[in-house]
Amino acid sequence: MVEAFAVASGKGGTGKTTSTLALGMALAADHDVTVVDADTGMANLLFHAGLDDAAVTLHDLLVEGTATDVSEAVYERFGLSVVPCGTSLAGFEAAEPERLRDVVAALARDTDVLLLDSPAALGSKSAVLPVVLADRVVVVVEPTIPALSDGLKVQEYARSYGTETAGVLFNKVRDDTDDVAAQAERHFGGPVLANVPESDAVRAARRAGEPLLAHAPESEAAARYRRAADRLDVRDGDGDAVADRFRSAVVPDTP
């Protein structure tokens, strides 16, 4: 079985990478999980996962003519298989976004859940491809009306390529969000997975280079992420069929 989720947002700074790793660790209690930093332009998952010294990254896999095998960029950390992306401008410029199809196809054959940490904007092929490749999208938003609007744009684009909505995850929640949550339930194609509070534990985990669920597993924020993972009903999918679908996916034009 395998299902691919894109973890996406309409703007940067929503806690998307923190959310990707937290959901991954929570889901890993019952599934084999592979997390991919598909943000080839503004990658930072490697810092969150203590992989800032990784010798091989996704950038290396996206360069034509290299002999790098996908397995060389997979690191076992915190109960997850993690594929970090490099942060150099040269690596970004050399990468060919459409090659992500083959990378994800190779990974799909040996995992239950693929989580694609996606770029925050939809302005380029490299940004939209993870959303297009995924079966469903988890939309991470802060609990404000403007952020909700940005998240709905992500959903609209995803739906135009047949990607369903798994749910919306409110992050950095400070005050009562009942009204915003109610609006989300009406407008998004999936449920509100959880309201994750603004948390010192999240900031401390980031400074420590560890996922939240490894650094502060008893925190309220960690508990909310586990609740969100429980609400993701991972669907069965044939690994070979999913891999073939990835390889034949149409590379989208810039929105």
Side-chain angles (χ1 to χ4, degrees), residues 36-133:
V36 181
D37 190 346
D39 191 347
T40 58
M42 297 291 287
N44 63 13
L45 186 146
L46 73 174
F47 302 117
H48 290 245
L51 286 168
D52 45 304
D53 59 348
V56 181
T57 73
L58 181 66
H59 274 165
D60 299 294
L61 305 179
L62 299 182
V63 177
E64 185 177 5
T66 66
T68 306
D69 188 81
V70 171
S71 63
E72 296 179 57
V74 180
Y75 301 84
E76 300 302 321
R77 294 290 189 279
F78 307 104
L80 307 170
S81 296
V82 181
V83 181
C85 187
T87 58
S88 73
L89 179 59
F92 171 67
E93 291 177 339
E96 299 180 30
E98 61 270 21
R99 293 178 66 85
L100 183 64
R101 294 176 300 182
D102 291 332
V103 172
V104 174
L107 294 168
R109 294 184 182 277
D110 194 32
T111 195
D112 296 333
V113 178
L114 272 167
L115 292 177
L116 306 177
D117 186 10
S118 307
L122 297 177
S124 68
K125 289 182 179 180
S126 62
V128 301
L129 188 55
V131 172
V132 172
L133 288 175

Side-chain angles (χ1 to χ4, degrees), residues 10-237:
K11 67 182 185 68
T14 61
K16 179 172 51 60
T17 298
T18 294
S19 299
T20 302
L21 284 170
L23 290 173
M25 285 191 65
L27 288 167
D30 299 305
H31 305 283
D32 290 328
V33 179
T34 299
V35 174
V36 181
D37 190 346
D39 191 347
T40 58
M42 297 291 287
N44 63 13
L45 186 146
L46 73 174
F47 302 117
H48 290 245
L51 286 168
D52 45 304
D53 59 348
V56 181
T57 73
L58 181 66
H59 274 165
D60 299 294
L61 305 179
L62 299 182
V63 177
E64 185 177 5
T66 66
T68 306
D69 188 81
V70 171
S71 63
E72 296 179 57
V74 180
Y75 301 84
E76 300 302 321
R77 294 290 189 279
F78 307 104
L80 307 170
S81 296
V82 181
V83 181
C85 187
T87 58
S88 73
L89 179 59
F92 171 67
E93 291 177 339
E96 299 180 30
E98 61 270 21
R99 293 178 66 85
L100 183 64
R101 294 176 300 182
D102 291 332
V103 172
V104 174
L107 294 168
R109 294 184 182 277
D110 194 32
T111 195
D112 296 333
V113 178
L114 272 167
L115 292 177
L116 306 177
D117 186 10
S118 307
L122 297 177
S124 68
K125 289 182 179 180
S126 62
V128 301
L129 188 55
V131 172
V132 172
L133 288 175
D135 298 293
R136 290 187 287 169
V137 61
V138 174
V139 185
V140 181
V141 297
E142 294 185 52
T144 66
I145 297 301
L148 197 64
S149 177
D150 289 336
L152 287 168
K153 292 173 187 174
V154 172
Q155 175 177 263
E156 180 181 1
Y157 188 81
R159 284 181 169 179
S160 73
Y161 278 90
T163 302
E164 301 176 27
T165 305
V168 58
L169 181 66
F170 282 126
N171 199 23
K172 301 183 180 181
V173 175
R174 300 176 185 85
D175 302 307
D176 183 74
T177 61
D178 287 346
D179 182 59
V180 178
Q183 292 191 50
E185 292 279 13
R186 288 196 300 270
H187 296 297
F188 278 93
V192 173
L193 298 172
N195 294 333
V196 181
E198 179 78 13
S199 172
D200 290 336
V202 172
R203 288 184 285 270
R206 189 162 55 244
R207 289 193 299 269
E210 293 182 330
L212 172 66
L213 268 66
H215 186 80
E218 303 305 318
S219 65
E220 180 61 26
R224 298 294 181 92
Y225 278 119
R226 284 191 289 268
R227 186 179 307 170
D230 286 342
R231 299 196 72 183
L232 285 177
D233 56 323
V234 179
R235 302 169 182 172
D236 288 344

